[in-house]
Structures are given as C-alpha cells and as structure tokens.
C-alpha cells in the first residue's frame, strides 16, 4: 500500500463523504475499526479491516436503518458490537457479515431507568466490552460483551463517571473521571477486586483532573487539568515520583488540542513516546505530533478525508490515519514523524502496583 504524503504545514481538505457523528473506534491492536455512517439518508454500521495489505470496509446494515448516535465498537474477532436504545432499554448485539446479509447475535439488554449509558473504549481483552450507566449519584459499570450470560453488572461507583482509559494490558485497571463533591478527579478502578476504587490524580485540592490517554507499557499518562489556573494538557508517569508537567507547546490560543493516540512499545521510556493530537480551529482540523522529550509540537496537514480524531501508532513508530473520499472509500494514510532530538534515558521501573502508588498529591507546572 502506498501511503499518502502529509505536508508539513496545517491545511484542511473537505471530505467527499458525509462525516459520521463521531470518529471511528479502533481496536487496541489496530486490526479493525467500526463507525456509524450513512448513505441515502440511512444510517448503518460499517466495519473496517485495517491489518490487510489493502484496508477495506464492509457495511453491516440491519433490517432497518439505525438511529443517529447509535454506538458501535469493533471486536478483535472482526465482529462489531452495537448499542441500541429501544423503548428505554439498552440492547446489545454482535454484527458480522454473512455474504450479502448481516448476521446478528443478541447479547441481552440493560435497564437503567434515566441513567445515561455509553460504551467505554475497547478493552485490551479483545472479546470484552464495557459500558458506564451514569445515574444521579453513582455510576454502574457493566460488562456488556464477553460475559457468560449476557450483560453483567461489575461495580457500582459513587459519583458520576465519564472518560475511560485502560491502565494495563490485561483489562483489569481502568481509569475513570469521577465527579464527586463538585470536583472531577481521575480514579483507578480495579476490576480484579470487584471494582475497588483508588485515587489516581490529585494535582491540587480544588482542581479538576482528568485522564485523557494512558499507555500501559511506558506508563505515560496524558491528562487535562485546571490546576495551572485554566484547562491545560499535561503529562505524568504512572507510579512515577516526578510531578505532572504542562508543556507550553501544547497550549495553542484559540485552538482545541485533543490527544488521540500514544505510540506503544516504549517500555520504561515514556518521554520517548510519540503522541498524536487533533488540532481544531476556525480553519478546520489538522494533526499535531509531540514527544515529552522534545518539548516541541510538530504540526502536519491532515490527509484528505481524514476521519478526524481517529488513528493509531504502529510499534515501529508510524502513525496511521483512516480516511474516506469519493475515490477511496476506505483508506489509511501513514505519517512517520522525525525521531526524537535525543534518545531519552529509561525511567526507573514502577516500584509498586498502581493501586498502592497513585499519582496523588504531586504538583508542578512547566
């Protein structure tokens, strides 16, 4: 596959197809993606196969069009989980192609009253999928795919939770942003201990501290906090002793900056991890690539038809970006950022597990 070349200056090219309501979701191993798309006014799920020599898309329409905003999640076996709301009930099913038709395996339903239920990002355990049901004073964590008998209630967490980032490669430790007592603080939820909750971010007593992304191998955490006086993107090291830092290069006036992918495979070298960011402004959307060690944000044009905010890193350090145009309805562009200015030194191994050494009470602005 020949990858399109990305120009060094920000620019935007309008897509030729209607954009989905949200970017496609990609499995943690980069093999599949899924999105809700539309054609002729009808919405339907679409699965992208990304690990083939040429990526390709398979539509998965049901017996009737889906509602806009219906959630889909790719599974590592090639099936697509779909979350529908029918008569107040949250139903789940696995979709798969069967020739010209779409096969469907019902998984059951969750009834959670007025609670808002949303899917979490793909689990490192490819056959599992989780969802949060946010109520007035607590949040229910559900295993909606991968259980023995349909959806299973995993834990009830005090407070209203959002976000979601996996902290390990076994699908046990989950970071959530919990609103409790008028403040938002990231917490770690241990699924191996029945949903036991421990503090994760406590930058300042009065700050709102959220986890945006996490990489289990390096321990790199991307966060958003108003501890510096207003919302800033910062970074820290899981279980590390150094304070959270807020790089000035990630502060772009009048632009929204959102990290969406961290380079894997950088064991004990979090400062060398490349991070991909989506940059949004009045001129459109483009790309940013940044490493903690470089202290510089490199800005790149987005490929034509980029499904903004979607992408993943290979272990070799290539950033892959799904795109769709009239000529190429399913494509992947590839960007290979420049190597870091200097090879970062490995950090010390994490001394104790996360639940015994959360990023608590550490401050610092840089």
């Amino acid at each position: 596959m020949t990858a399109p070349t990305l120009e060094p200056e920000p620019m935007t090219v309008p897509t030729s197809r209607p954009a989905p309501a949200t970017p496609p979701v990609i499995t943690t191993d980069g093999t599949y993606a899924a999105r809700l798309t539309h054609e002729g006014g009808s919405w339907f799920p679409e699965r992208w196969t990304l690990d083939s020599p040429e990526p390709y898309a398979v539509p998965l329409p049901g017996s009737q069009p889906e509602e806009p905003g219906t959630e889909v999640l790719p599974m590592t076996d090639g099936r697509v989980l779909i979350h529908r709301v029918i008569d107040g009930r949250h139903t789940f099913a696995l979709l798969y192609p069967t020739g010209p038709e779409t096969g469907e395996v019902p998984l059951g339903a969750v009834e959670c009253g007025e609670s808002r239920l949303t899917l979490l990002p793909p689990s490192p355990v490819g056959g599992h999928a989780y969802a949060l049901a946010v109520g007035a004073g607590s949040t229910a964590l559900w295993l909606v795919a991968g259980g023995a008998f349909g959806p299973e209630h995993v834990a009830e967490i005090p407070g209203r939770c959002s976000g979601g980032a996996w902290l390990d490669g076994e699908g046990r430790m989950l970071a959530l942003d919990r609103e409790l007592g008028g403040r938002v603080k990231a917490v770690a939820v241990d699924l191996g201990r029945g949903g036991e909750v421990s503090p994760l971010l406590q930058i300042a007593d009065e700050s709102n501290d959220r986890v945006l992304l996490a990489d289990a191998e390096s321990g790199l955490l991307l966060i958003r906090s108003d501890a510096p006086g207003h919302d800033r993107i910062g970074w820290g090291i899981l279980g590390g002793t150094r304070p959270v830092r807020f790089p000035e290069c990630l502060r772009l006036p009048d632009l929204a900056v959102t990290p969406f992918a961290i380079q894997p495979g950088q064991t004990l070298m979090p400062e060398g991890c490349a991070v991909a960011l989506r940059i949004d402004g009045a001129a459109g959307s483009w790309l940013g690539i940044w490493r903690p060690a470089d202290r510089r944000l490199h800005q790149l044009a987005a490929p034509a038809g980029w499904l903004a905010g979607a992408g993943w890193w290979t272990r070799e350090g290539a950033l892959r970006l799904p795109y769709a145009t009239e000529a190429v309805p399913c494509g992947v562009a590839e960007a290979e950022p420049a190597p870091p200015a200097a090879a970062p030194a490995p950090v010390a191994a994490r001394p104790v597990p996360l639940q015994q050494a959360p990023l608590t009470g550490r401050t610092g602005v840089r």
Side-chain angles (χ1 to χ4, degrees):
M1 175 183 68
T2 301
T5 300
L6 302 186
E7 301 295 334
E9 295 298 328
M11 58 176 284
T12 56
V13 179
T15 61
S16 300
R17 307 179 77 204
T22 57
V25 181
I26 302 170
T27 56
T28 56
D29 61 1
T31 54
Y32 294 99
R35 65 170 183 158
L36 193 71
T37 187
H38 57 81
E39 186 173 302
S42 296
W43 291 85
F44 58 89
E46 186 176 69
R47 187 200 71 189
W48 285 35
T49 299
L50 302 173
D51 63 345
S52 64
E54 293 289 340
Y56 62 93
V58 177
L60 295 172
S63 57
Q64 60 185 30
E66 306 293 344
E67 292 293 325
T70 296
E71 291 187 299
V72 294
L73 194 78
M75 311 296 282
T76 54
D77 63 1
R79 294 185 292 181
V80 172
L81 176 72
I82 187 167
H83 164 214
R84 302 180 177 109
V85 181
I86 302 175
D87 297 330
R89 301 170 73 243
H90 297 266
T91 68
F92 300 90
L94 290 171
L95 308 179
Y96 59 95
T98 57
E101 305 295 330
T102 300
E104 184 168 327
V105 179
L107 297 178
V110 172
E111 296 190 26
C112 51
E114 298 299 318
S115 296
R116 178 174 56 87
L117 188 145
T118 57
L119 293 175
L120 284 172
S123 166
V125 180
H128 288 179
Y130 292 85
L132 292 178
V134 184
S138 67
T139 300
L141 176 63
W142 288 85
L143 174 67
V144 296
F149 304 102
E152 298 177 4
H153 183 266
V154 175
E156 196 73 24
I157 304 166
R160 296 171 58 84
C161 295
S162 60
W166 294 98
L167 300 173
D168 65 351
E170 290 72 46
R172 171 173 171 169
M173 301 301 299
L174 174 66
L176 295 174
D177 302 325
R178 179 173 69 170
E179 181 186 353
L180 190 64
R183 296 292 173 187
V184 178
K185 300 290 184 183
V187 297
V189 181
D190 189 340
L191 305 189
R193 292 188 173 184
E196 181 180 282
V197 177
S198 59
L200 181 62
L201 285 177
Q202 181 75 31
I203 300 176
D205 290 341
E206 300 301 315
S207 62
N208 295 287
D209 311 318
R210 297 172 170 85
V211 169
L212 303 177
L213 289 177
D215 178 65
E217 293 177 271
S218 65
L220 178 63
L221 291 180
L222 272 293
I223 72 162
R224 187 182 296 277
S225 173
D226 58 7
H230 53 274
D231 267 343
R232 294 275 298 273
I233 294 177
W235 68 279
I237 300 172
L238 194 62
T241 58
R242 297 168 66 182
V244 170
R245 277 149 287 177
F246 297 88
E248 191 65 26
C249 67
L250 298 183
R251 182 184 179 187
L252 303 181
D254 301 321
L255 298 175
V257 180
T258 307
F260 63 87
I262 299 177
Q263 179 187 358
Q266 305 299 296
T267 304
L268 303 182
M269 298 179 66
E271 294 191 17
C273 288
V275 179
L277 306 103
R278 171 180 173 173
I279 304 173
D280 295 293
S285 300
W286 59 94
L287 292 165
I289 296 177
W290 166 81
R291 287 184 178 89
D294 286 352
R295 300 183 182 179
R296 177 186 173 191
L297 176 64
H298 301 270
Q299 299 187 44
L300 300 172
W306 179 42
L307 304 175
W312 76 101
W313 290 96
T314 68
R315 303 184 79 83
E316 295 73 31
L319 174 60
R320 293 184 173 172
L321 305 165
Y323 69 93
T325 66
E326 193 67 33
V328 183
C330 177
V332 175
E334 192 168 286
E336 295 189 24
V347 299
R350 284 171 272 177
V352 289
L354 166 69
Q355 59 268 34
Q356 299 177 40
L359 286 173
T360 303
R362 299 172 186 142
T363 60
V365 178
R366 180 177 298 178

